[in-house]
Amino acid sequence: MDIGDDFADWDFTGGEIEVLRSKAHEPLMKSRAWKCSVCTCYNDKKSTSCDICGVSQSSFIRYSSPTEIEVDSRLRKCELSKLARSLFSSKPQRLPKLDISYEDFQDFLRFGGPCRAYTAPRSKRSIHIVPFKFDTPSPDDVVSTGLKSAKTFLKVDTLHLTKSQSDAKEKEKKTTSLSENTSANSSTGIEEETKSLSENLQKLNLEKDHAPSKTKKPRPKPQYKPEKWMLTGQEPGSRSQLNLAIVGHVDSGKSTLCGRLLHLHGQISNNQMHKYEKEAKDKRKGSFAYAWAMDESSDERERGVTMTVSVKYFDSKNYHVVLLDSPGHKDFVPNLISGTAQADAAILVVDASIGAFEAGMVGMTGMGQTKEHAQIIRSFGLEHLIVAVNKLDSVEYSQERFDLIKLQLGSFLRSCGFKESGLKWVPLSTMENQNLVARPSDVRLSSWYNGGCLLDAIDFIPPPSRYISNPLILPICDIISSRTLGQLAVSGKLEAGAIRVGSKVIVMPPGTVATVRTIERNGANCNVARAGDNVCVGLQNIGDDQLTSGGTLCHVDFPVRIASILELKIFVLEMSTPILVGFQVEFHVHHAKASARVEKIISLIDQRTGEVLKKAPRMLSGKQSAIIIVHLDREVCVEEFATFRALGRVFLRSSGSTIAVGIVNRILERS
Ligand SMILES: Nc1nc2c(ncn2[C@@H]2O[C@H](COP(=O)(O)OP(=O)(O)OP(=O)(O)O)[C@@H](O)[C@H]2O)c(=O)[nH]1
């Protein structure tokens, strides 16, 4: 495919629809073009269909100057989608596609940083991120309003809403004036117009948001020197912590697998297990008994669906393993993103039953949950993945079925950037306790499988690296309160540095200095916590309106940056809707979420080399890489990926699907 030629046909700079509609250009255009009666843009007379909306020239040749109502009704007759109508966009099949192979994803995801580690503060702790009601708008919306804390804690209301709302309005005003200014610019000829528009936009951005005179010069950072107590290593005899995200298609058996592992390691007593079985049977959900160990809320148990990320732990031979049982349903992917932000490695649970594996691969849109979860895991830089091929009992422990799954899913995982050496394939049945913590006893499996069990595969994962000698960074996952922690506490994983009781920390935003009152790790009080630990930190000298999930506790001299205008390097996942300038997306970074607008598409880039393939492309579609600028409706804690990876990985979502993954290339606005 000749990429250049194909793209030339569809090349417009962002905002061109406004420009093409401008009456000022009509005389020039009229001389060499036909006017589309739908979107009113002018096309080359050789074109048989409209470059903007894709409608054929002949369909409307008899019309002139249609009214909006006429346009709408004609488009409806044309069977264009609602979105296509609203955007005057081209028909999907006509979108040019770059010939970028999925191997390119591998290079893109080579941002993959070293693994991190983590401990859960208490065995019964859950990251209850989204209180879900099926009659409320959408979990994606709900997640932004705050993360629901563990059952064992009382949730503190996030009183930040009013501030965020006013901030959002402020940003909206800015954006409106920006686009007004943009559309006001005009010159003669399409090329000149698009060029000047692009320059103006750049100028506006620079002048409005990044003018040197308006930007405070960051004061030179003092050299960070960790204190001696921060660096003291692990206590003798204690295991390293391994934070394991359990992901996979809905109903693939994730919670059952976690429940089984906990029971087999004595974390759930026989009495407790008996109780779960009885309660599950009473609710006619007998098969969910093990899942109930993880799904503790009544909503989750009632529906048999995990909605939040549950955190439980057990000790293996090499690790203190923290299980992060994630929801599999597509509605709860934002929770999965927030939970997986803390993982060192992952188990991807696949349902081997006939039809279920296929649904996980293809889904409704061609991108099933198994694929989406695998991509999210890889985009977090995780390199070690155990693929647990579950429910093999339902296919008589067929080796052929296992091999087929390994073949099909394996090629997709490699295309995501997982190396063969980072993948471990484990056939099992959690229901029949086959190959979980010991060699399989069922001859139908043991006759052809000689590899290790799931527990061996977990112990085989190399120890994660930690940023202990960096300044403190603790992204806030949840805001909690308890009798032992006090009225104001936060939970989360220390991404870098260390804290101890009595330490001063700066809470970003708003930049208030607070004092660490208590620290809890693994459900017990401790004096010091270091990078990799998952802790609850009780704070004093701070108001509850100054704490918000998605915020960050930092070293007082080294606060992380907060910003709302970011330059991102993204990789667009398979999707049905093209990304255009002005596109509204949901922006995710660590535990923070914000609404965002695609302000500018700077360039289409080569995945491997980073070389600019095209400047200011009109739109982005699946499997393309690009540099874009996004404008968030509120400021979030963020760092450039090159500076600190954990705060520089981003996800863009729209209409309930992850549409792009990427990194923060530059922070364009700094508070
Ligand atoms: N036959 C069979 N059924 C299983 C196996 N593992 C789990 N199940 C059943 O699959 C159903 C779903 O199990 P869960 O553990 O809730 O699945 P999940 O992936 O956690 O579900 P979500 O978190 O809601 O996505 C339950 O009825 C389980 O009993 C297995 O190995 N074999």
Short mmCIF file of all heavy atoms in Angstrom, two decimals, residues 246-260 285-292 294-295 300 303-308 325-330 332 349 351 353 373 389-395 397 428-434, ligand 1:
data_model
loop_
_atom_site.label_atom_id
_atom_site.label_comp_id
_atom_site.label_asym_id
_atom_site.label_seq_id
_atom_site.Cartn_x
_atom_site.Cartn_y
_atom_site.Cartn_z
N ILE A 246 -4.70 -10.02 38.63
CA ILE A 246 -5.40 -11.16 38.04
C ILE A 246 -6.43 -10.58 37.07
O ILE A 246 -7.39 -9.92 37.50
CB ILE A 246 -6.12 -12.02 39.12
CG1 ILE A 246 -5.24 -12.22 40.35
CG2 ILE A 246 -6.60 -13.34 38.54
CD1 ILE A 246 -3.95 -12.98 40.12
N VAL A 247 -6.19 -10.76 35.79
CA VAL A 247 -7.07 -10.15 34.78
C VAL A 247 -7.63 -11.23 33.86
O VAL A 247 -7.16 -12.37 33.86
CB VAL A 247 -6.31 -9.08 33.95
CG1 VAL A 247 -5.76 -7.99 34.83
CG2 VAL A 247 -5.16 -9.72 33.16
N GLY A 248 -8.58 -10.86 33.05
CA GLY A 248 -9.14 -11.81 32.09
C GLY A 248 -10.61 -11.54 31.84
O GLY A 248 -11.27 -10.78 32.56
N HIS A 249 -11.11 -12.21 30.83
CA HIS A 249 -12.48 -12.06 30.38
C HIS A 249 -13.48 -12.33 31.51
O HIS A 249 -13.17 -13.08 32.43
CB HIS A 249 -12.70 -13.05 29.22
CG HIS A 249 -13.99 -12.88 28.52
ND1 HIS A 249 -15.05 -13.73 28.72
CD2 HIS A 249 -14.40 -11.97 27.63
CE1 HIS A 249 -16.07 -13.33 27.97
NE2 HIS A 249 -15.69 -12.27 27.29
N VAL A 250 -14.63 -11.70 31.43
CA VAL A 250 -15.65 -11.90 32.46
C VAL A 250 -15.97 -13.39 32.61
O VAL A 250 -16.05 -14.12 31.61
CB VAL A 250 -16.93 -11.05 32.15
CG1 VAL A 250 -17.65 -11.54 30.90
CG2 VAL A 250 -17.86 -10.99 33.33
N ASP A 251 -16.08 -13.84 33.84
CA ASP A 251 -16.43 -15.23 34.17
C ASP A 251 -15.36 -16.25 33.78
O ASP A 251 -15.65 -17.44 33.68
CB ASP A 251 -17.75 -15.65 33.51
CG ASP A 251 -18.94 -15.22 34.35
OD1 ASP A 251 -18.71 -14.74 35.48
OD2 ASP A 251 -20.08 -15.37 33.89
N SER A 252 -14.14 -15.81 33.55
CA SER A 252 -13.11 -16.77 33.18
C SER A 252 -12.63 -17.57 34.40
O SER A 252 -11.93 -18.57 34.26
CB SER A 252 -11.92 -16.06 32.51
OG SER A 252 -11.47 -15.01 33.32
N GLY A 253 -13.00 -17.09 35.60
CA GLY A 253 -12.67 -17.83 36.81
C GLY A 253 -11.60 -17.17 37.67
O GLY A 253 -10.94 -17.84 38.48
N LYS A 254 -11.43 -15.85 37.54
CA LYS A 254 -10.38 -15.12 38.27
C LYS A 254 -10.58 -15.19 39.79
O LYS A 254 -9.67 -15.52 40.54
CB LYS A 254 -10.34 -13.64 37.82
CG LYS A 254 -10.05 -13.46 36.35
CD LYS A 254 -10.11 -12.01 35.92
CE LYS A 254 -11.49 -11.40 35.95
NZ LYS A 254 -12.45 -12.00 35.02
N SER A 255 -11.81 -14.86 40.22
CA SER A 255 -12.07 -14.83 41.67
C SER A 255 -12.00 -16.23 42.24
O SER A 255 -11.49 -16.43 43.35
CB SER A 255 -13.45 -14.22 41.96
OG SER A 255 -13.54 -12.96 41.38
N THR A 256 -12.49 -17.22 41.48
CA THR A 256 -12.42 -18.61 41.96
C THR A 256 -10.96 -19.02 42.12
O THR A 256 -10.59 -19.65 43.11
CB THR A 256 -13.15 -19.54 40.96
OG1 THR A 256 -14.44 -19.00 40.72
CG2 THR A 256 -13.27 -20.95 41.49
N LEU A 257 -10.13 -18.63 41.16
CA LEU A 257 -8.70 -18.95 41.23
C LEU A 257 -8.06 -18.32 42.48
O LEU A 257 -7.34 -18.99 43.23
CB LEU A 257 -8.01 -18.45 39.96
CG LEU A 257 -6.51 -18.70 39.80
CD1 LEU A 257 -6.18 -18.94 38.34
CD2 LEU A 257 -5.68 -17.54 40.29
N CYS A 258 -8.38 -17.04 42.73
CA CYS A 258 -7.81 -16.37 43.92
C CYS A 258 -8.30 -17.04 45.19
O CYS A 258 -7.52 -17.30 46.11
CB CYS A 258 -8.21 -14.89 43.94
SG CYS A 258 -7.51 -13.96 42.59
N GLY A 259 -9.62 -17.31 45.24
CA GLY A 259 -10.20 -17.95 46.43
C GLY A 259 -9.53 -19.29 46.71
O GLY A 259 -9.19 -19.61 47.85
N ARG A 260 -9.32 -20.06 45.65
CA ARG A 260 -8.67 -21.37 45.78
C ARG A 260 -7.26 -21.22 46.35
O ARG A 260 -6.86 -21.91 47.27
CB ARG A 260 -8.55 -22.03 44.42
CG ARG A 260 -9.72 -22.87 44.05
CD ARG A 260 -9.65 -24.24 44.72
NE ARG A 260 -10.69 -25.12 44.20
CZ ARG A 260 -11.04 -26.24 44.76
NH1 ARG A 260 -10.48 -26.64 45.89
NH2 ARG A 260 -11.97 -26.99 44.22
N LYS A 285 -26.13 -19.79 44.12
CA LYS A 285 -24.90 -19.49 43.39
C LYS A 285 -23.78 -20.37 43.93
O LYS A 285 -22.66 -19.91 44.19
CB LYS A 285 -24.52 -18.01 43.56
CG LYS A 285 -25.49 -17.02 42.98
CD LYS A 285 -24.76 -15.94 42.22
CE LYS A 285 -25.73 -14.98 41.55
NZ LYS A 285 -26.13 -15.34 40.24
N GLY A 286 -24.10 -21.64 44.11
CA GLY A 286 -23.16 -22.59 44.71
C GLY A 286 -21.79 -22.60 44.07
O GLY A 286 -20.77 -22.71 44.75
N SER A 287 -21.75 -22.42 42.73
CA SER A 287 -20.46 -22.52 42.03
C SER A 287 -19.56 -21.32 42.33
O SER A 287 -18.40 -21.31 41.96
CB SER A 287 -20.69 -22.64 40.52
OG SER A 287 -21.23 -21.45 40.02
N PHE A 288 -20.12 -20.29 42.98
CA PHE A 288 -19.33 -19.09 43.24
C PHE A 288 -18.71 -19.06 44.63
O PHE A 288 -18.19 -18.04 45.06
CB PHE A 288 -20.20 -17.83 43.05
CG PHE A 288 -20.47 -17.50 41.61
CD1 PHE A 288 -21.53 -18.10 40.94
CD2 PHE A 288 -19.67 -16.61 40.92
CE1 PHE A 288 -21.77 -17.82 39.60
CE2 PHE A 288 -19.91 -16.32 39.59
CZ PHE A 288 -20.96 -16.92 38.92
N ALA A 289 -18.76 -20.20 45.34
CA ALA A 289 -18.30 -20.21 46.74
C ALA A 289 -16.89 -19.65 46.88
O ALA A 289 -16.64 -18.80 47.74
CB ALA A 289 -18.37 -21.63 47.29
N TYR A 290 -15.95 -20.08 46.03
CA TYR A 290 -14.57 -19.59 46.15
C TYR A 290 -14.46 -18.12 45.74
O TYR A 290 -13.67 -17.37 46.28
CB TYR A 290 -13.61 -20.45 45.32
CG TYR A 290 -13.31 -21.77 45.98
CD1 TYR A 290 -13.99 -22.94 45.61
CD2 TYR A 290 -12.38 -21.86 47.01
CE1 TYR A 290 -13.74 -24.14 46.25
CE2 TYR A 290 -12.12 -23.05 47.65
CZ TYR A 290 -12.80 -24.20 47.26
OH TYR A 290 -12.55 -25.38 47.90
N ALA A 291 -15.28 -17.75 44.75
CA ALA A 291 -15.25 -16.36 44.28
C ALA A 291 -15.72 -15.41 45.40
O ALA A 291 -15.30 -14.25 45.44
CB ALA A 291 -16.13 -16.21 43.05
N TRP A 292 -16.57 -15.93 46.31
CA TRP A 292 -17.08 -15.08 47.38
C TRP A 292 -15.99 -14.62 48.34
O TRP A 292 -16.14 -13.64 49.04
CB TRP A 292 -18.20 -15.81 48.16
CG TRP A 292 -19.50 -15.70 47.43
CD1 TRP A 292 -19.65 -15.60 46.08
CD2 TRP A 292 -20.81 -15.64 47.98
NE1 TRP A 292 -20.97 -15.52 45.76
CE2 TRP A 292 -21.70 -15.54 46.91
CE3 TRP A 292 -21.31 -15.69 49.28
CZ2 TRP A 292 -23.08 -15.47 47.09
CZ3 TRP A 292 -22.68 -15.63 49.47
CH2 TRP A 292 -23.56 -15.51 48.39
N MET A 294 -13.36 -13.34 47.41
CA MET A 294 -12.84 -12.10 46.85
C MET A 294 -13.95 -11.06 46.66
O MET A 294 -13.76 -9.89 46.92
CB MET A 294 -12.19 -12.36 45.47
CG MET A 294 -11.10 -13.41 45.46
SD MET A 294 -9.74 -13.06 46.59
CE MET A 294 -8.85 -11.73 45.78
N ASP A 295 -15.09 -11.52 46.15
CA ASP A 295 -16.19 -10.59 45.88
C ASP A 295 -17.02 -10.45 47.15
O ASP A 295 -17.94 -11.23 47.40
CB ASP A 295 -17.07 -11.13 44.74
CG ASP A 295 -16.28 -11.31 43.45
OD1 ASP A 295 -15.23 -10.66 43.32
OD2 ASP A 295 -16.71 -12.09 42.59
N GLU A 300 -21.87 -7.50 44.28
CA GLU A 300 -21.03 -8.42 43.52
C GLU A 300 -21.52 -9.85 43.68
O GLU A 300 -21.60 -10.61 42.71
CB GLU A 300 -19.56 -8.32 43.99
CG GLU A 300 -18.90 -7.03 43.58
CD GLU A 300 -17.46 -6.92 44.05
OE1 GLU A 300 -17.20 -7.22 45.23
OE2 GLU A 300 -16.60 -6.53 43.26
N ARG A 303 -24.90 -10.52 41.86
CA ARG A 303 -24.82 -10.62 40.40
C ARG A 303 -23.76 -11.60 39.92
O ARG A 303 -23.68 -11.89 38.73
CB ARG A 303 -24.51 -9.23 39.82
CG ARG A 303 -25.63 -8.26 40.06
CD ARG A 303 -25.19 -6.83 39.78
NE ARG A 303 -25.97 -5.88 40.55
CZ ARG A 303 -27.15 -5.43 40.20
NH1 ARG A 303 -27.69 -5.81 39.08
NH2 ARG A 303 -27.81 -4.58 40.95
N GLY A 304 -22.92 -12.06 40.82
CA GLY A 304 -21.85 -12.99 40.43
C GLY A 304 -20.83 -12.32 39.53
O GLY A 304 -20.21 -12.96 38.68
N VAL A 305 -20.65 -11.01 39.71
CA VAL A 305 -19.72 -10.26 38.86
C VAL A 305 -18.81 -9.42 39.76
O VAL A 305 -19.28 -8.74 40.66
CB VAL A 305 -20.49 -9.31 37.90
CG1 VAL A 305 -19.55 -8.39 37.16
CG2 VAL A 305 -21.30 -10.12 36.90
N THR A 306 -17.50 -9.48 39.51
CA THR A 306 -16.57 -8.62 40.25
C THR A 306 -16.65 -7.21 39.69
O THR A 306 -16.64 -7.02 38.48
CB THR A 306 -15.13 -9.16 40.10
OG1 THR A 306 -15.11 -10.52 40.49
CG2 THR A 306 -14.15 -8.38 40.95
N MET A 307 -16.74 -6.23 40.60
CA MET A 307 -16.84 -4.84 40.12
C MET A 307 -15.65 -4.00 40.54
O MET A 307 -15.32 -3.02 39.90
CB MET A 307 -18.10 -4.20 40.70
CG MET A 307 -19.37 -4.85 40.23
SD MET A 307 -20.74 -4.29 41.22
CE MET A 307 -22.01 -5.35 40.63
N THR A 308 -15.06 -4.37 41.67
CA THR A 308 -13.94 -3.58 42.17
C THR A 308 -12.70 -4.49 42.24
O THR A 308 -12.80 -5.69 42.07
CB THR A 308 -14.24 -3.07 43.57
OG1 THR A 308 -14.53 -4.19 44.38
CG2 THR A 308 -15.41 -2.11 43.59
N ASP A 325 -7.39 -8.97 42.43
CA ASP A 325 -8.41 -9.60 41.60
C ASP A 325 -9.21 -8.51 40.89
O ASP A 325 -9.96 -7.75 41.52
CB ASP A 325 -9.33 -10.47 42.49
CG ASP A 325 -10.42 -11.13 41.68
OD1 ASP A 325 -10.24 -11.33 40.47
OD2 ASP A 325 -11.49 -11.45 42.28
N SER A 326 -9.06 -8.43 39.58
CA SER A 326 -9.68 -7.33 38.82
C SER A 326 -11.00 -7.75 38.21
O SER A 326 -11.21 -8.93 37.93
CB SER A 326 -8.75 -6.90 37.68
OG SER A 326 -7.46 -6.70 38.17
N PRO A 327 -11.88 -6.78 37.94
CA PRO A 327 -13.13 -7.12 37.28
C PRO A 327 -12.90 -7.49 35.81
O PRO A 327 -12.00 -6.93 35.17
CB PRO A 327 -13.97 -5.85 37.40
CG PRO A 327 -13.04 -4.77 37.80
CD PRO A 327 -11.76 -5.36 38.27
N GLY A 328 -13.70 -8.41 35.29
CA GLY A 328 -13.52 -8.83 33.90
C GLY A 328 -14.51 -8.14 32.98
O GLY A 328 -14.29 -8.07 31.77
N HIS A 329 -15.59 -7.62 33.55
CA HIS A 329 -16.63 -7.02 32.71
C HIS A 329 -16.11 -5.73 32.10
O HIS A 329 -15.42 -4.96 32.76
CB HIS A 329 -17.88 -6.74 33.56
CG HIS A 329 -19.09 -6.49 32.74
ND1 HIS A 329 -19.33 -5.27 32.15
CD2 HIS A 329 -20.12 -7.29 32.39
CE1 HIS A 329 -20.47 -5.33 31.48
NE2 HIS A 329 -20.97 -6.55 31.60
N LYS A 330 -16.48 -5.48 30.84
CA LYS A 330 -15.93 -4.31 30.13
C LYS A 330 -16.33 -2.98 30.78
O LYS A 330 -15.62 -2.00 30.67
CB LYS A 330 -16.30 -4.33 28.65
CG LYS A 330 -17.75 -4.11 28.31
CD LYS A 330 -18.00 -4.42 26.85
CE LYS A 330 -17.70 -3.26 25.93
NZ LYS A 330 -18.63 -2.14 26.10
N PHE A 332 -16.09 -2.23 33.75
CA PHE A 332 -15.25 -1.90 34.90
C PHE A 332 -13.77 -1.79 34.56
O PHE A 332 -12.92 -1.87 35.44
CB PHE A 332 -15.48 -2.94 36.02
CG PHE A 332 -16.92 -3.06 36.39
CD1 PHE A 332 -17.66 -4.18 36.01
CD2 PHE A 332 -17.56 -2.04 37.07
CE1 PHE A 332 -19.00 -4.27 36.32
CE2 PHE A 332 -18.90 -2.13 37.38
CZ PHE A 332 -19.63 -3.25 37.00
N VAL A 349 -6.24 -14.88 33.03
CA VAL A 349 -7.04 -16.10 33.12
C VAL A 349 -7.89 -16.22 31.86
O VAL A 349 -8.59 -15.28 31.48
CB VAL A 349 -7.93 -16.09 34.39
CG1 VAL A 349 -8.69 -17.40 34.53
CG2 VAL A 349 -7.09 -15.84 35.63
N ASP A 351 -10.69 -18.62 29.74
CA ASP A 351 -11.70 -19.68 29.85
C ASP A 351 -11.57 -20.59 28.62
O ASP A 351 -11.79 -20.16 27.49
CB ASP A 351 -13.08 -19.02 29.90
CG ASP A 351 -14.20 -20.02 30.12
OD1 ASP A 351 -13.97 -21.22 29.91
OD2 ASP A 351 -15.31 -19.59 30.50
N SER A 353 -13.38 -23.14 27.81
CA SER A 353 -14.59 -23.79 27.27
C SER A 353 -14.90 -23.30 25.87
O SER A 353 -14.56 -22.17 25.50
CB SER A 353 -15.81 -23.60 28.18
OG SER A 353 -15.57 -22.75 29.22
N HIS A 373 -7.47 -6.59 28.00
CA HIS A 373 -6.75 -6.70 29.27
C HIS A 373 -5.26 -6.93 29.04
O HIS A 373 -4.41 -6.36 29.72
CB HIS A 373 -7.33 -7.83 30.12
CG HIS A 373 -8.69 -7.51 30.67
ND1 HIS A 373 -9.25 -8.19 31.72
CD2 HIS A 373 -9.59 -6.56 30.32
CE1 HIS A 373 -10.45 -7.67 31.98
NE2 HIS A 373 -10.67 -6.70 31.13
N VAL A 389 -4.74 -21.14 31.60
CA VAL A 389 -5.80 -21.65 30.73
C VAL A 389 -6.73 -22.49 31.62
O VAL A 389 -6.45 -23.65 31.93
CB VAL A 389 -5.22 -22.45 29.55
CG1 VAL A 389 -6.34 -22.93 28.63
CG2 VAL A 389 -4.23 -21.60 28.77
N ASN A 390 -7.82 -21.86 32.03
CA ASN A 390 -8.70 -22.41 33.07
C ASN A 390 -9.90 -23.18 32.47
O ASN A 390 -10.12 -23.11 31.26
CB ASN A 390 -9.19 -21.24 33.93
CG ASN A 390 -9.91 -21.69 35.17
OD1 ASN A 390 -9.63 -22.76 35.72
ND2 ASN A 390 -10.87 -20.88 35.64
N LYS A 391 -10.61 -23.82 33.32
CA LYS A 391 -11.82 -24.58 32.97
C LYS A 391 -11.52 -25.69 31.96
O LYS A 391 -12.36 -26.01 31.11
CB LYS A 391 -12.93 -23.66 32.42
CG LYS A 391 -13.35 -22.55 33.39
CD LYS A 391 -14.69 -21.97 33.02
CE LYS A 391 -15.00 -20.71 33.82
NZ LYS A 391 -16.27 -20.11 33.54
N LEU A 392 -10.32 -26.24 32.02
CA LEU A 392 -10.00 -27.33 31.09
C LEU A 392 -10.86 -28.56 31.38
O LEU A 392 -11.02 -29.42 30.52
CB LEU A 392 -8.51 -27.69 31.18
CG LEU A 392 -7.59 -26.90 30.23
CD1 LEU A 392 -6.16 -27.37 30.36
CD2 LEU A 392 -8.03 -27.02 28.77
N ASP A 393 -11.41 -28.64 32.59
CA ASP A 393 -12.32 -29.76 32.90
C ASP A 393 -13.51 -29.78 31.95
O ASP A 393 -14.02 -30.83 31.59
CB ASP A 393 -12.79 -29.66 34.36
CG ASP A 393 -13.48 -28.35 34.66
OD1 ASP A 393 -12.83 -27.29 34.59
OD2 ASP A 393 -14.68 -28.35 34.95
N SER A 394 -13.92 -28.57 31.50
CA SER A 394 -15.10 -28.50 30.64
C SER A 394 -14.81 -29.00 29.22
O SER A 394 -15.73 -29.16 28.42
CB SER A 394 -15.66 -27.07 30.59
OG SER A 394 -14.72 -26.25 29.97
N VAL A 395 -13.53 -29.21 28.88
CA VAL A 395 -13.19 -29.76 27.57
C VAL A 395 -12.39 -31.05 27.73
O VAL A 395 -11.51 -31.36 26.90
CB VAL A 395 -12.43 -28.73 26.68
CG1 VAL A 395 -13.33 -27.61 26.23
CG2 VAL A 395 -11.21 -28.18 27.41
N TYR A 397 -9.98 -31.86 29.55
CA TYR A 397 -8.53 -31.62 29.64
C TYR A 397 -7.84 -31.89 28.29
O TYR A 397 -6.77 -32.47 28.21
CB TYR A 397 -7.90 -32.47 30.75
CG TYR A 397 -8.39 -32.06 32.12
CD1 TYR A 397 -9.44 -32.74 32.73
CD2 TYR A 397 -7.83 -30.98 32.78
CE1 TYR A 397 -9.91 -32.34 33.97
CE2 TYR A 397 -8.29 -30.59 34.03
CZ TYR A 397 -9.33 -31.27 34.62
OH TYR A 397 -9.80 -30.86 35.85
N LEU A 428 -5.07 -25.53 33.60
CA LEU A 428 -5.58 -25.87 34.92
C LEU A 428 -7.11 -25.88 34.99
O LEU A 428 -7.79 -25.47 34.04
CB LEU A 428 -5.03 -24.93 35.99
CG LEU A 428 -5.03 -23.42 35.75
CD1 LEU A 428 -6.35 -22.81 36.12
CD2 LEU A 428 -3.93 -22.78 36.59
N SER A 429 -7.58 -26.35 36.10
CA SER A 429 -9.01 -26.23 36.42
C SER A 429 -9.08 -25.79 37.87
O SER A 429 -8.69 -26.53 38.77
CB SER A 429 -9.72 -27.57 36.25
OG SER A 429 -10.98 -27.50 36.91
N THR A 430 -9.54 -24.55 38.09
CA THR A 430 -9.62 -24.07 39.48
C THR A 430 -10.76 -24.79 40.20
O THR A 430 -10.67 -25.07 41.38
CB THR A 430 -9.86 -22.55 39.52
OG1 THR A 430 -10.96 -22.24 38.69
CG2 THR A 430 -8.67 -21.78 39.06
N MET A 431 -11.80 -25.12 39.44
CA MET A 431 -12.96 -25.77 40.06
C MET A 431 -12.57 -27.14 40.61
O MET A 431 -12.97 -27.51 41.71
CB MET A 431 -14.06 -25.91 39.00
CG MET A 431 -15.39 -26.28 39.55
SD MET A 431 -15.83 -25.11 40.82
CE MET A 431 -16.98 -24.10 39.97
N GLU A 432 -11.77 -27.88 39.85
CA GLU A 432 -11.39 -29.23 40.28
C GLU A 432 -10.00 -29.26 40.91
O GLU A 432 -9.41 -30.33 41.07
CB GLU A 432 -11.48 -30.20 39.08
CG GLU A 432 -12.89 -30.27 38.54
CD GLU A 432 -13.10 -31.37 37.53
OE1 GLU A 432 -12.12 -31.97 37.05
OE2 GLU A 432 -14.28 -31.63 37.20
N ASN A 433 -9.48 -28.07 41.23
CA ASN A 433 -8.17 -27.96 41.89
C ASN A 433 -7.09 -28.77 41.18
O ASN A 433 -6.37 -29.54 41.79
CB ASN A 433 -8.30 -28.39 43.36
CG ASN A 433 -7.02 -28.13 44.14
OD1 ASN A 433 -6.17 -27.36 43.70
ND2 ASN A 433 -6.88 -28.77 45.29
N GLN A 434 -6.97 -28.57 39.88
CA GLN A 434 -5.96 -29.26 39.08
C GLN A 434 -4.87 -28.29 38.67
O GLN A 434 -5.13 -27.28 38.02
CB GLN A 434 -6.60 -29.88 37.82
CG GLN A 434 -7.53 -31.03 38.10
CD GLN A 434 -6.81 -32.22 38.75
OE1 GLN A 434 -5.70 -32.57 38.35
NE2 GLN A 434 -7.43 -32.83 39.74
N1 LIG B 1 -16.14 -25.73 34.92
C1 LIG B 1 -15.44 -24.82 35.55
N2 LIG B 1 -16.04 -23.72 36.01
C2 LIG B 1 -15.30 -22.80 36.65
C3 LIG B 1 -13.90 -22.95 36.82
N3 LIG B 1 -13.43 -21.85 37.46
C4 LIG B 1 -14.48 -21.04 37.66
N4 LIG B 1 -15.61 -21.59 37.19
C5 LIG B 1 -16.97 -21.04 37.24
O1 LIG B 1 -17.05 -19.86 36.44
C6 LIG B 1 -17.99 -18.96 37.01
C7 LIG B 1 -17.34 -17.60 37.13
O2 LIG B 1 -16.31 -17.67 38.07
P1 LIG B 1 -15.65 -16.38 38.71
O3 LIG B 1 -14.50 -16.82 39.52
O4 LIG B 1 -16.67 -15.52 39.37
O5 LIG B 1 -15.18 -15.65 37.39
P2 LIG B 1 -14.48 -14.21 37.31
O6 LIG B 1 -13.56 -14.24 36.16
O7 LIG B 1 -13.90 -13.83 38.62
O8 LIG B 1 -15.72 -13.30 36.99
P3 LIG B 1 -15.69 -11.67 36.90
O9 LIG B 1 -14.75 -11.19 37.93
O10 LIG B 1 -17.07 -11.26 37.16
O11 LIG B 1 -15.21 -11.35 35.54
C8 LIG B 1 -18.40 -19.55 38.35
O12 LIG B 1 -19.63 -20.18 38.20
C9 LIG B 1 -17.33 -20.56 38.64
O13 LIG B 1 -17.77 -21.61 39.40
C10 LIG B 1 -13.30 -24.16 36.33
O14 LIG B 1 -12.11 -24.40 36.44
N5 LIG B 1 -14.12 -25.04 35.71
#
